[in-house]
């Protein structure tokens, strides 16, 4: 089984988003490489995750470029301020692969207000930086990561948008493997909705006094 | 009761969106003015609606500027191609009032791809045209209008964004009066998400072979 699953590099994988996704995917049998700017930080995140997972999982910590080079699918989970530099550091190792962009281009302090970068969205910026040889797909922007490490169900659907249908289909498998419901929501131009929705949800959390508002797609039968 | 409710002008109210909303609000006791470029068209829509409603409702058909002048709240339901001209025709009568913008800036033929106007969204364009004396609020972009005239429940929440919290609160009352669940989703900068979501839902409809996908906000208790 495990041999058939691609290795996933989680770039900037030492934060709650990266650790939460790594936990779910490692538990589902995917080999996981946690990347960070510093090897020690990545290894420390791996040690933390190992305590929560069976001994059979494959998890390693290394630098972002090392992780990108060794993986078949790349996932970037960094604050927007580190988005460009992280992508530039792994550009040559990303060619021919899928990059899953989890970044939300929040502009503190007004994080409940949509403010997109000049490219139109973080995903479109990633595509500009990496070039047409890399398929860029947005996913997981709208979920609350606290639920992932606690094995709690995620009460938020995952909208998947990106530069090709084939890449979106691959990423939908990762959404399901992480225990969530995903939807192919169209081309990379739709990334502004997926990323901007995070600001709307942050606003709703504040406005209605909750911690993890989300969305659920209605009107489509579920499996 | 009825005396306390503001009169609503539905500009370009002869299409399915305008007629559907007029039907719901007239039924809830709001005086409704249907506006159109031609008085006859507006009156014909009114005649159609009267057949579906009790004799006690208040419904009149007239030109858009006449409707805008006589109403306390304005609602615009026109194709994006008629957005600017319609707003310019009622600008002087809108001052000091709330404009509810239902417009989605779709660019045929690629209607499942988000393509916003230079202002950032239709709502922000409306605000530019009308000036700061008019509160502009986006709502009802994501619902399927077929359900409104059939008295069917709408399985899609309504995100309400706009230029002031007071105006959003007024519009949330209209959402409830129309039989839907609404949420204050923040400032007018968030309009790109509300309007863009329509393209995402059109994509989902096509992709998953359904007619009216929608969204439901999760993680917030409902009344």
């Amino acid at each position: 089984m495990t041999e058939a699953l691609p290795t996933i590099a989680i770039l900037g994988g030492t934060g709650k988003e990266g650790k939460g996704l790594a936990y779910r995917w490692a538990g589902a049998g995917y080999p996981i490489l946690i990347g960070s700017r510093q090897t020690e930080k990545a290894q420390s995140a791996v040690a933390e995750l190992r305590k929560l997972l069976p001994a059979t999982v494959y998890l390693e910590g290394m630098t972002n470029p090392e992780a990108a080079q060794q993986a078949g699918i790349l996932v970037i989970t960094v604050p927007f301020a580190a988005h460009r530099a992280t992508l530039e550091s792994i550009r040559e190792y990303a060619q021919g692969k899928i990059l899953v962009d989890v970044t939300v281009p929040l502009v503190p302090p007004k994080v409940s207000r949509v403010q997109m970068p000049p490219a139109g969205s973080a995903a479109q910026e990633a595509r500009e930086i990496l070039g047409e040889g890399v398929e860029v797909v947005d996913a997981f922007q709208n979920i609350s990561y606290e639920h992932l490490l606690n094995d709690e169900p995620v009460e938020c659907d995952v909208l998947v948008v990106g530069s090709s249908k084939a890449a979106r289909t691959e990423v939908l498998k990762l959404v399901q493997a992480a225990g969530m419901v995903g939807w192919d929501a169209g081309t990379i131009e739709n990334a502004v909705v997926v990323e901007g929705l995070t600001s709307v949800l942050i606003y709703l959390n504040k406005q209605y006094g909750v911690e993890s508002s989300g969305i659920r797609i209605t009107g489509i039968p579920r499996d």
Side-chain angles (χ1 to χ4, degrees), chain A:
Chain A
M1 274 288 283
T2 305
E3 287 79 9
L5 297 176
T7 298
I8 302 172
I10 306 185
L11 312 170
T14 59
K16 62 181 179 177
E17 295 88 350
K19 283 192 289 192
L21 289 169
Y23 173 76
R24 292 282 176 115
W25 286 327
Y30 285 82
I32 302 293
L33 310 178
I34 299 272
S36 178
R37 276 185 300 178
Q38 297 162 278
T39 303
E40 301 70 37
K41 276 192 155 186
Q43 289 173 341
S44 153
V46 165
E48 211 180 309
L49 285 166
R50 280 197 190 285
K51 290 182 197 160
L52 305 171
L53 285 159
T56 53
V57 302
Y58 187 93
L59 264 174
E60 273 195 77
M62 56 193 70
T63 65
N64 287 320
E66 287 166 345
Q69 190 166 19
Q70 295 176 35
I73 294 180
L74 317 184
V75 179
I76 180 167
T77 58
V78 296
F80 185 61
H83 189 246
R84 177 174 292 276
T86 305
L87 290 172
E88 285 172 348
S89 79
I90 58 93
R91 179 166 40 201
E92 61 182 303
Y93 308 118
Q95 300 306 311
K97 300 178 182 174
I98 292 171
L99 176 93
V100 182
D101 200 338
V102 183
T103 310
V104 179
L106 299 176
V107 185
K110 295 195 170 169
V111 294
S112 68
R113 181 173 295 190
V114 176
Q115 297 174 83
M116 289 291 142
S121 63
Q124 287 162 296
E125 182 179 286
R127 181 92 161 152
E128 282 182 9
I129 294 166
L130 299 174
E132 304 237 318
V134 180
E135 299 294 352
V136 175
V137 178
D138 255 0
F140 306 110
Q141 271 79 4
N142 307 139
I143 63 169
S144 293
Y145 286 89
E146 287 69 19
H147 299 298
L148 299 187
L149 284 178
N150 297 336
D151 289 312
E152 288 169 16
V154 177
E155 300 291 352
C156 182
D157 288 357
V158 176
L159 299 177
V160 174
V161 300
S163 52
S164 82
K165 181 148 182 60
R168 297 195 296 269
T169 302
E170 283 306 303
V171 175
L172 283 168
K173 291 180 199 166
L174 299 183
V175 175
Q176 191 173 24
M180 294 171 239
V181 175
W183 303 100
D184 175 359
T187 62
I188 198 167
E189 288 82 0
N190 294 354
V192 61
V193 173
V194 179
E195 297 174 19
L197 191 54
T198 303
S199 288
V200 167
L201 295 175
I202 291 170
Y203 184 86
L204 290 175
N205 286 348
K206 193 176 157 192
Q207 182 65 23
Y208 294 95
V210 300
E211 287 188 349
S212 56
S213 62
I215 63 151
R216 185 183 164 92
I217 296 297
T218 61
I220 308 178
R222 294 178 175 240
D223 295 338

